[in-house]
Amino acid sequence: MKVLGIETSCDETAAAVVVDGTQILSNEIASQVEIHTRYGGVVPEVASRQHLLAIIPIIEQAMTGAKVTWSDLDGIAVTMGPGLAGSLLVGVNVAKAVAFAHGLSLTGVNHLEGHIYASWLTGRDIEFPLVCLIVSGGHSDLVFMRDHGDYTVLGRTRDDAAGEAFDKASRILGLGYPGGPAIERAACQGQTSLPLPRAWLKGSHDFSFSGIKTALLHLVQEGKVALNGPDSGLPTVADAAASFQEAVFEVLVTKTVAVAREYGAKQVLLVGGVAANRSLRQKLIDESPLPVVVPELVLCTDNAAMVAACGYYRFRAGKVAGLDLDVTPGLKLA
Ligand code: KG4
Ligand code: ZN
């Protein structure tokens, strides 16, 4: 079954063609990052206008790259939420128009579910039950999955998402936007010498990252980080980045491993934009007693192949949408 995936929930316009939820024929992404960098973050109105400009060319590229015509496709999967309303609307309306014009089935995909299904594009066998850590710009969720489409959210962030905390920490350290990759690059040159707290929230599987970020802000404001280059033995920006990254990852990895044990999971999945971080990938692989599945980097950050993969399993379960499909910016998992 060949599924066209469409993703426009935030600032990437993406289209992909995937066979049977596992084999990528094409995976095209038009990133808006250069445009939003000017503003230090995603500007929703700018994002939806850019989606309008990019969506048709990116679908054409995905179709051409996959060497398929409309009659070769079996269905269209589109992200319907969570995300920015104006951005989601572009993808959903284009998907509906194309499905109507070509008589194709349509299914609406939860963006977080999409991130999870990037794991099916790794070529690894995925075994249930499993525990999945979703770490993105908007979410940090620990999810227990008994089967396809069967999710129980065991823990989530009570304040900042992990990616959001990276973006804010990067701004505090003057490392710019997008913050995750900038912190990762800086951290490679640093030592974990800056004392930062960890919020364990004992007895709960939830996370909290705003305290780490605020502690970092206070240390910077108190002049305890050498912001203007190495000097007088103070921790450098690279040290601060390494310490911040370590504090966030220690909590994420420790809690994920504990939950996987507690729930008798057979595997641990690591997905979402922050899963592109090599230190996090390695730390979870090193510390998990269970096999860890992590998608390749381009499938961790937003893409449409994951949406098509998820769409395949939805079609298989008979979850087909009508042309009244609408966006749900606050859509929840489960
Ligand atoms: O999944 P994603 O592309 O979009 C959302 O659904 O939010 O995740 C984006 C987030 C951003 O906050 C970005 O800073 C973070 O993922 N991110 C990273 C890395 N690459 C992206 N965080 C840490 N290390 C990275 N290498
Ligand atoms: Zn995402």
Side-chain angles (χ1 to χ4, degrees):
M1 184 176 190
K2 289 193 181 79
V3 175
L4 170 70
I6 298 176
E7 156 66 41
T8 64
S9 68
C10 190
D11 61 338
E12 321 278 11
T13 319
V17 179
V18 172
V19 183
D20 294 344
T22 51
Q23 190 199 336
I24 298 176
L25 295 187
S26 64
N27 187 24
E28 298 293 331
I29 304 171
S31 175
Q32 305 178 7
V33 76
E34 275 178 31
I35 295 164
H36 298 289
T37 297
R38 259 182 263 161
Y39 308 100
V42 177
V43 183
E45 289 77 6
V46 175
S48 44
R49 279 162 206 259
Q50 278 306 121
H51 285 309
L52 276 176
L53 295 175
I55 187 79
I56 302 292
I58 211 78
I59 290 175
E60 283 171 350
Q61 273 177 39
M63 301 281 290
T64 311
K67 299 190 176 66
V68 294
T69 61
W70 293 107
S71 59
D72 297 322
L73 292 179
D74 299 289
I76 299 180
V78 62
T79 304
M80 60 179 290
L84 301 169
S87 290
L88 290 163
L89 275 168
V90 176
V92 166
N93 281 302
V94 166
K96 289 202 286 192
V98 172
F100 179 65
H102 297 286
L104 289 164
S105 310
L106 181 68
T107 193
V109 168
N110 180 315
H111 180 77
L112 299 173
E113 209 178 341
H115 273 302
I116 295 175
Y117 274 86
S119 311
W120 273 261
L121 297 167
T122 57
R124 300 267 301 269
D125 285 331
I126 308 296
E127 279 188 80
F128 298 111
L130 58 84
V131 159
C132 181
L133 175 65
I134 311 174
V135 269
S136 70
H139 293 82
S140 299
D141 291 351
L142 261 175
V143 179
F144 183 63
M145 233 179 133
R146 273 178 214 85
D147 203 343
H148 288 291
D150 179 347
Y151 312 100
T152 307
V153 178
L154 303 173
R156 54 163 55 99
T157 181
R158 295 190 184 171
D159 39 57
D160 291 349
E164 184 183 358
F166 266 79
D167 293 331
K168 289 177 178 171
S170 180
R171 209 170 302 152
I172 291 168
L173 294 173
L175 292 172
Y177 171 86
I183 296 252
E184 180 175 17
R185 271 194 305 277
C188 289
Q189 320 291 326
Q191 305 294 322
T192 54
S193 53
L194 200 69
L196 291 171
R198 277 86 168 132
W200 291 108
L201 307 179
K202 288 246 156 56
S204 156
H205 300 312
D206 284 350
F207 301 108
S208 166
F209 299 114
S210 70
I212 303 177
K213 171 206 67 194
T214 306
L216 177 68
L217 178 64
H218 287 161
L219 288 167
V220 167
Q221 285 172 339
E222 289 160 12
K224 295 191 174 138
V225 178
L227 277 192
N228 303 316
D231 107 39
S232 64
L234 282 176
T236 61
V237 167
D239 296 335
S243 309
F244 174 81
Q245 191 172 271
E246 173 64 18
V248 172
F249 293 166
E250 190 180 321
V251 178
L252 285 173
V253 168
T254 306
K255 289 202 158 213
T256 303
V257 169
V259 162
R261 277 212 185 93
E262 183 182 334
Y263 281 80
K266 291 193 178 139
Q267 279 179 341
V268 178
L269 313 184
L270 172 63
V271 303
V274 183
N277 187 293
R278 289 170 187 82
S279 303
L280 175 59
R281 299 159 80 90
Q282 199 54 51
K283 190 172 174 65
L284 187 58
I285 290 167
D286 290 346
E287 295 185 22
S288 169
L290 303 167
V292 176
V293 178
V294 198
E296 63 175 291
L297 301 194
V298 70
L299 298 174
C300 288
T301 45
D302 289 349
N303 66 88
M306 68 185 197
V307 176
C310 180
Y312 165 77
Y313 287 97
R314 289 182 62 83
F315 282 129
R316 243 183 41 169
K319 294 175 180 166
V320 177
L323 290 176
D324 56 350
L325 178 70
D326 203 354
V327 303
T328 310
L331 188 64
K332 298 265 183 290
L333 198 62

